[in-house]
Amino acid sequence: MTINFLNATFAKSAPSLKEAPQGQFPEVLLVGKSNVGKSSLINALCNKKALAFTSSKPGHTRLLNYYNIDNKIYLVDAPGYGYAKGGFDLDKLFGEMMDDYFTNASRLKLVLVLLDSRRELSENDVDIINFIREKDIDHCLVFTKSDKINQSEKAHLLKHLSEIGVEKDEIIFTSTLKTRTFDSLRNKISSI
Ligand SMILES: Nc1nc2c(ncn2[C@@H]2O[C@H](COP(=O)(O)OP(=O)(O)OP(=O)(O)O)[C@@H](O)[C@H]2O)c(=O)[nH]1
Ligand SMILES: [Mg+2]
């Protein structure tokens, strides 16, 4: 399927799956720790500066945000996990929303698990990767902010990933500073 990522529009924000757009398109879900760069990745894929709202403060996205890509797929931006502040527990929100999503979103085709290239995988990250693997959902691990690591740090990370059984073809490195790093992700999404 050829998808024109430049033809992207905001579709809807849903506080829960009940209010999600009535699924006419296959869905690609983005998950990851708060501040890892989920919203930025949507903007980079679509080559738009402010399609998805980004913030340097974690915990920004608190809804399921649906983006219509070329009337062919929805990219779904979800709240992040691993952040709690001011009595607001993002992990609880993430858990409840995602439970519902993984059980009921029948048009889910691909999950992009976003991970910060600079950090070791957290317990949350490993949990969600294992969960997606058990459910046998097509997925890839997208390492964001790759501009922040050098070649030897990248080699170290790749070695660690191979030790924990992650296959090379599951991994994509991206950086919003280098637009061509999104080419293989666009291809992966187009192949669903
Ligand atoms: N250097 C660099 N910064 C990035 C990259 N991607 C995202 N950022 C920055 O990381 C911060 C968080 O980005 P967001 O896209 O808002 O993160 P998010 O995962 O949507 O965060 P929440 O909505 O809070 O869960 C912003 O300051 C971005 O500019 C990247 O590839 N390289
Ligand atoms: Mg966000």
Side-chain angles (χ1 to χ4, degrees), residues 35 37-40 53-55 60-61 77-78:
N35 207 242
K38 298 176 292 300
S39 302
S40 303
F53 199 88
T54 64
S55 169
H60 188 79
T61 306
D77 192 8

Side-chain angles (χ1 to χ4, degrees), residues 32-43 52-62 77-81 83 90 114 118 143-148 174-178 181-182:
K33 190 172 157 55
S34 182
N35 207 242
V36 69
K38 298 176 292 300
S39 302
S40 303
L41 182 125
I42 290 179
N43 290 337
F53 199 88
T54 64
S55 169
S56 55
K57 292 198 205 84
H60 188 79
T61 306
R62 294 185 182 184
D77 192 8
Y81 46 77
Y83 176 74
L90 200 55
L114 274 65
R118 296 167 297 178
F143 285 88
T144 63
K145 311 189 187 186
S146 64
D147 51 280
K148 305 246 191 200
T174 62
S175 163
T176 53
L177 305 184
K178 294 179 209 143
T181 60
F182 293 90

